[in-house]
Amino acid sequence: MNHPPIVLRTISDLRANTASWHSEGLTVGMIPTMGALHDGHLALVAEARRRVDRIVATIFVNPAQFAPTEDFGAYPRTEASDVAKLAALGVEAVFVPTAQEMYPVGHATTISLAGPALGLETDFRPHFFTGVATVVGKLLIGGFPDIAMFGEKDYQQLLVVRQMVADLHLPTEIVGLPTVRETDGLALSSRNAYLSPEERRTAASLPEVLNETAAAIRAGGNAGEACRAGLAKLKSVGFRPDYLELRNALTLAAPTPGDAGPLRLLVAAWLGKTRLIDNIAV
Ligand code: PAF
């Protein structure tokens, strides 16, 4: 039977807790989340368990990464069951700050980004990565973990965080793990809970189109044509796509002719009121 995790609510407690583990010579892994934990998050915990001595998961629905028109209010908040899931995996600490703790009145500093933050998500959610990078930066500086774990489902986010950590010389290794999927291929996401049963059935077309498009490109087809065909198929089954694009997997720049790769195919599309994202290696 695992001990329940210590619940930390302030940055100073987060910092003191990690400092005390480090002073004992223990390594520390952080798993930043917005809660509503699913098996994708739990896979991050399991991998962290293999790599470090102590784990701190963070649960914070970060207002700075939502535009006023987005689902900040509706985002699922399930702290008690999240903490129970983390306890079952032996996570030692959970950081659950308030918005006031993370963004006290007068907070005025954000992280400004370029490189992998340009395009794709930023074209449709211009506020998003500044909000993500600012909160992840604050969490990493708050806890100074040795590693921090992120899922490849949010591939652009993973590259943005890696770039930010490198540029700010933060002493944390960013570990990215493969997307965990349902049996029909849909990537696990806390937002899948918004889908009606009918939308949930249609949602399986998103990974299907990604796979078909990637296969066409791998077979030597023209990437632009393959993406246009994929977008048409998504529309025909009821999606409103934001983008389906092939990018350089390391920089997220548009691939140049003869780009030696690696390449990544990324998609974002609305189904009813739910926006889904996914990506695969090509
Ligand atoms: O991927 C998420 O859940 C969030 O964007 C993150 C990294 C926890 C920052 O709020």
Side-chain angles (χ1 to χ4, degrees), residues 31-35 41 58-63 65-66 75 103 128-129 131-133 135-136 139 149-151 153-154 157 161 190-191:
I31 302 169
T33 82
M34 298 206 299
H41 296 114
T58 76
I59 300 177
F60 180 59
V61 185
N62 173 32
Q65 67 191 74
F66 292 80
Y75 200 87
Y103 302 108
F128 177 63
F129 286 124
V132 168
V135 83
V136 172
L139 292 168
M149 320 288 294
F150 294 84
K153 204 268 288 173
D154 298 280
Q157 167 175 280
V161 168
S190 307
R191 289 190 168 99

Side-chain angles (χ1 to χ4, degrees), residues 40-152:
H41 296 114
L42 303 185
L44 301 179
V45 175
E47 181 58 26
R49 187 83 285 161
R50 285 188 275 276
R51 292 177 180 236
V52 289
D53 302 313
R54 295 289 181 268
I55 298 174
V56 55
T58 76
I59 300 177
F60 180 59
V61 185
N62 173 32
Q65 67 191 74
F66 292 80
T69 50
E70 292 181 348
D71 57 340
F72 175 70
Y75 200 87
R77 287 159 172 84
T78 53
E79 181 181 325
S81 70
D82 289 342
V83 173
K85 286 177 188 172
L86 295 168
L89 292 179
V91 167
E92 286 82 10
V94 187
F95 178 54
V96 195
T98 59
Q100 170 63 22
E101 176 69 15
M102 294 307 283
Y103 302 108
V105 174
H107 180 277
T109 303
T110 55
I111 293 179
S112 131
L113 305 155
L118 299 177
L120 300 170
E121 285 301 288
T122 301
D123 287 344
F124 297 88
R125 308 182 69 200
H127 57 284
F128 177 63
F129 286 124
T130 300
V132 168
T134 302
V135 83
V136 172
K138 286 158 82 75
L139 292 168
L140 297 181
I141 292 166
F144 284 121
D146 300 283
I147 66 171
M149 320 288 294
F150 294 84
E152 286 184 351

